[in-house]
Amino acid sequence: MNNSKPGQLGTGSDSDDSTDDMPWWQSSVVYQIYPRSFADSNGDGIGDLRGIIAHLDHLERLGVDIIWLSPIYASPHDDNGYDISDYRAIDPVFGTLADFDVLVAEIHRRGMTLLMDLVVNHTSDEHPWFVESASSRDNPKRDWYWWRPTRHGATAGEPGAEPTNWGSFFSGSAWEFDKDSGEYYLHLFSRKQPDLNWENPEVRDAVYEMMRWWLDRGVDGFRMDVINLISKDSTLPDGVCAPGQRYADGFPHYGYGPRIHEFLHEMHECVFAGRVGQFLTVGEMPGVTVGQARLFTDPARRELDMVFQFEHVGLDHGPSGKWDPRPLDVRELKASFARWQDGLAEVGWNSLYWNNHDQPRAVSRFGDDGPYWAESATMLATVLHLQRGTPYVYQGEELGMTNVPFRGISDFRDIESLNYFAEAVDQLGEEPEKVLRGIRHISRDNARTPVQWSDEPQAGFTAGSPWIGVNPNYPTINARSQHGRAGSIFEYYRALIALRHTEPVIARGAFEMLCPEHPVLVAFTRTLDDRELLVLANFGDASLEVGKLPGPILPNADVWRTALTVIDNYPAKEGVDNLILSPWQARVLTRQLN
Ligand code: NOJ
């Protein structure tokens, strides 16, 4: 939330948008840790804080600047910690507050910063706030959540009696009937994740106070879970039901509600304004448009520093949604990248990512996890890291971790996948194998198997039995085999991350997408002052002679043919024509203008 560089104390004032004095996080790279699956120090099969501390050298070596820690708070783990029952306690499975303090100190000692996950659209139903709220209709905390009576004329608890027809993100209705108090409560995610009512100022005050408490403890900012859902249309109207669907899409009524900008600005004022230090706020915002993102991240409006948007990771969703995937059309991907680069060129900031704990592994999804595994993993990284924005690396991505050969439904742990399977098979009568095909491809569990540290049993993740099976490819894909090995995916990521730190054109340069219509070539330039970079990437198995493609693919092709190479995911060859790309090759070239 200010311009100071890591290690300096800032004034708490916001960016003045000058390129000479960029906020520190604009030339930074974030690394996401999903604690359950990162490293287990005590043999219980679940990753923990001591496990993270023991592996900080890996991150320091990689060169990342910011660590985003997925939730480690007390939780019944219905949604792996995104259901919080105490915002100020560490879940015993992960460790203690004393462990946490050591983690913060160790991260800071290495010159990195820590971003906490802030999950405040909802709590767990085991949070004392909800327990009180549910205890009676006249409890003072009743209004901290969304309670509504049975639909007029319907019988409580029967299908169709819910206050609205909205579906939950995790299948079924978004409402749960509470027999004891005779009303329904809203849960956009699982029934154990009731939505907080942000209309109530006491709720907002309690959240801001909790945020200040973590900042006082030394954290450097927050990644805000589905923060676009905190303002809802409080009249809660029904949504439109698509043909053949049992539940409606309520998003137009609970996403980006009327007070969203007001709440985020208020949060900024109550939590960050005037605070000394260097902070970062990232808003996870499914469905955010470029125009909205510009408003949320315009420094003058004092809301958020950057958004996490979903457009590019929705491009392979089929007509029936994410469980019905289709192949990626690279032209659509380029159009999306260009729209975001252009739309936030002057004002605003974006997060750049392929992977996180909610997405399958990009190398399997958009690359080739077979013969061109290393090439496609590093090509994807190059295309992402060379854009304007803040790149995110999700644990294991730097090793080229792949999707998992899940055998049957019993191999999965994720509530979203399990609920979807049960609904599709048990209620809608779909063919289990067909449903499983979609789940295998897109399930979040692909990202949640243990980090592959070595070729030792359980990939060196645990001395016990892991909470979810290790990907059987760990003997060949693991950190130990890649550290320090020239040509490894890890060393390539290391070089890419270092480039962002040393080449101002990567963090700050203007962006121009070339050849938007080509089906497999991604080509764009980055320009700053008299420096220009050309990024070329081949999203396919066949070689490409860029210089010979028909049409005006590349202005100044001859200049680039012999230009200097900045980074290349194929070994350098003497006298090679820069414009010939091998399968899944990525090459970045540079030239001086004038
Ligand atoms: C988004 C998180 O990234 C996801 O993992 C979680 O299930 C939902 N929000 C609900 O908190």
Side-chain angles (χ1 to χ4, degrees):
M1 305 291 289
N2 64 51
N3 290 345
S4 51
K5 301 280 183 287
Q8 295 175 339
L9 281 188
T11 59
S13 66
D14 285 316
S15 163
D16 63 5
D17 209 31
S18 97
T19 50
D20 292 336
D21 191 18
M22 294 175 75
W24 60 278
W25 38 264
Q26 292 192 347
S27 54
S28 296
V29 176
V30 181
Y31 186 94
Q32 183 191 353
I33 292 182
Y34 193 67
R36 251 187 124 66
S37 309
F38 190 70
D40 174 22
S41 72
N42 61 0
D44 67 357
I46 301 177
D48 48 43
L49 298 184
R50 289 275 159 194
I52 298 173
I53 295 166
H55 286 83
L56 286 177
D57 286 351
H58 174 80
L59 306 187
E60 192 176 7
R61 187 171 188 158
L62 187 58
V64 295
D65 309 278
I66 303 168
I67 296 174
W68 153 24
L69 199 54
S70 278
I72 47 160
Y73 314 95
S75 165
H77 294 279
D78 194 48
D79 184 18
N80 287 356
Y82 282 89
D83 48 319
I84 298 169
S85 53
D86 184 346
Y87 286 108
R88 298 180 198 208
I90 306 294
D91 195 284
V93 98
F94 296 130
T96 62
L97 271 172
D99 295 333
F100 180 80
D101 291 340
V102 175
L103 176 65
V104 175
E106 286 297 311
I107 288 174
H108 286 164
R109 191 171 68 75
R110 291 170 157 84
M112 299 186 280
T113 52
L114 178 64
L115 206 57
M116 293 291 271
D117 219 307
L118 182 80
V119 188
V120 288
N121 171 68
H122 43 269
T123 65
S124 162
D125 65 342
E126 295 181 32
H127 193 293
W129 296 344
F130 185 78
V131 174
E132 267 195 59
S133 181
S135 65
S136 79
R137 288 200 200 183
D138 52 13
N139 184 279
K141 288 210 168 49
R142 186 68 169 177
D143 185 47
W144 281 42
Y145 294 83
W146 295 90
W147 291 96
R148 289 291 183 275
T150 304
R151 189 181 284 267
H152 187 67
T155 307
E158 302 252 302
E162 298 88 4
T164 74
N165 59 2
W166 304 349
S168 141
F169 287 107
F170 290 166
S171 303
S173 168
W175 295 92
E176 181 73 4
F177 185 62
D178 172 46
K179 279 206 190 77
D180 294 339
S181 67
E183 286 189 316
Y184 286 84
Y185 65 86
L186 178 67
H187 60 89
L188 294 178
F189 294 90
S190 95
R191 62 170 65 89
K192 288 186 67 61
Q193 292 169 296
D195 281 53
L196 280 165
N197 175 14
W198 276 67
E199 296 296 316
N200 185 328
E202 287 173 12
V203 168
R204 306 203 298 276
D205 282 348
V207 168
Y208 305 152
E209 198 191 326
M210 174 270 286
M211 291 172 75
R212 291 190 296 263
W213 187 85
W214 282 104
L215 290 172
D216 290 345
R217 212 167 182 109
V219 311
D220 304 289
F222 300 95
R223 170 272 185 186
M224 303 178 185
D225 191 68
V226 288
I227 205 70
N228 59 319
L229 307 183
I230 59 174
S231 165
K232 299 168 172 76
D233 172 349
S234 44
T235 65
L236 304 186
D238 272 337
V240 177
C241 217
Q245 295 294 313
R246 179 144 165 223
Y247 297 105
D249 176 11
F251 191 82
H253 310 299
Y254 59 67
Y256 305 98
R259 301 182 69 188
I260 183 74
H261 290 289
E262 176 197 333
F263 291 163
L264 290 175
H265 178 68
E266 180 184 83
M267 177 191 282
H268 178 278
E269 295 305 293
C270 294
V271 177
F272 299 101
R275 181 175 273 268
V276 173
Q278 42 149 359
F279 308 109
L280 171 59
T281 55
V282 183
E284 189 209 23
M285 298 197 159
V288 70
T289 63
V290 178
Q292 287 169 327
R294 208 176 140 101
L295 292 177
F296 285 122
T297 60
D298 176 350
R301 295 172 58 92
R302 294 167 187 265
E303 295 178 20
L304 296 173
D305 292 323
M306 64 179 94
V307 293
F308 220 84
Q309 58 89 15
F310 287 72
E311 199 176 274
H312 62 300
V313 289
L315 294 175
D316 63 345
H317 294 179
S320 320
K322 70 181 270 184
W323 306 108
D324 173 29
R326 61 179 179 131
L328 174 73
D329 181 336
V330 174
R331 285 165 295 205
E332 288 180 8
L333 180 71
K334 288 190 280 188
S336 172
F337 281 158
R339 196 166 30 250
W340 281 87
Q341 291 290 311
D342 296 346
L344 300 183
E346 305 300 330
V347 174
W349 200 254
N350 194 11
S351 309
L352 307 170
Y353 71 96
W354 288 119
N355 294 280
N356 61 44
H357 65 292
D358 292 332
Q359 304 291 334
R361 295 284 181 180
V363 65
S364 303
R365 184 181 185 185
F366 302 127
D368 171 0
D369 61 10
Y372 293 109
W373 163 69
E375 291 81 358
S376 63
T378 47
M379 182 281 283
L380 289 168
T382 313
V383 167
L384 194 86
H385 282 245
L386 265 288
Q387 294 183 50
R388 188 164 178 276
T390 299
Y392 286 58
V393 180
Y394 175 68
Q395 63 185 38
E397 176 184 338
E398 76 281 17
L399 308 173
M401 278 180 63
T402 65
N403 273 359
V404 181
F406 293 111
R407 286 157 308 180
I409 194 66
S410 62
D411 285 349
F412 291 88
R413 300 287 176 272
D414 169 33
I415 183 171
E416 184 196 32
S417 308
L418 296 175
N419 284 2
Y420 169 68
F421 184 84
E423 185 177 74
V425 174
D426 302 341
Q427 289 173 33
L428 304 174
E430 289 183 30
E431 183 51 44
E433 241 336 287
K434 179 172 162 270
V435 177
L436 265 177
R437 264 201 302 281
I439 297 184
R440 282 197 189 98
H441 184 80
I442 210 87
S443 170
R444 314 193 292 183
D445 276 343
N446 282 298
R448 298 177 178 186
T449 60
V451 170
Q452 295 163 207
W453 294 108
S454 69
D455 60 1
E456 286 163 325
Q458 310 298 359
F461 163 75
T462 179
S465 172
W467 69 277
I468 185 171
V470 172
N471 192 322
N473 62 18
Y474 72 87
T476 45
I477 302 181
N478 62 68
R480 187 179 291 164
S481 68
Q482 296 194 30
H483 282 162
R485 183 169 61 75
S488 71
I489 297 175
F490 179 85
E491 292 302 326
Y492 190 87
Y493 265 83
R494 200 155 89 94
L496 263 184
I497 292 165
L499 269 182
R500 175 163 296 258
H501 294 147
T502 52
E503 296 278 356
V505 61
I506 296 180
R508 309 174 183 191
F511 176 99
E512 188 186 355
M513 183 66 84
L514 307 173
C515 63
E517 291 308 322
H518 195 278
V520 292
L521 172 67
V522 172
F524 57 86
T525 57
R526 304 292 314 279
T527 318
L528 183 72
D529 303 327
D530 58 357
R531 189 86 194 281
E532 186 173 39
L533 300 184
L534 173 66
V535 179
L536 295 173
N538 182 359
F539 267 73
D541 286 351
S543 294
L544 264 183
E545 289 201 41
V546 178
K548 289 202 178 141
L549 295 174
I553 292 280
L554 262 192
N556 304 317
D558 284 338
V559 176
W560 291 113
R561 219 177 279 284
T562 53
L564 287 177
T565 299
V566 178
I567 194 166
D568 193 336
N569 68 346
Y570 271 70
K573 276 199 209 127
E574 279 295 306
V576 72
D577 176 347
N578 278 334
L579 302 186
I580 301 178
L581 296 181
S582 297
W584 301 97
Q585 184 164 13
R587 179 179 280 149
V588 182
L589 304 167
T590 178
R591 67 173 181 140
Q592 291 296 121
L593 299 173
N594 306 321

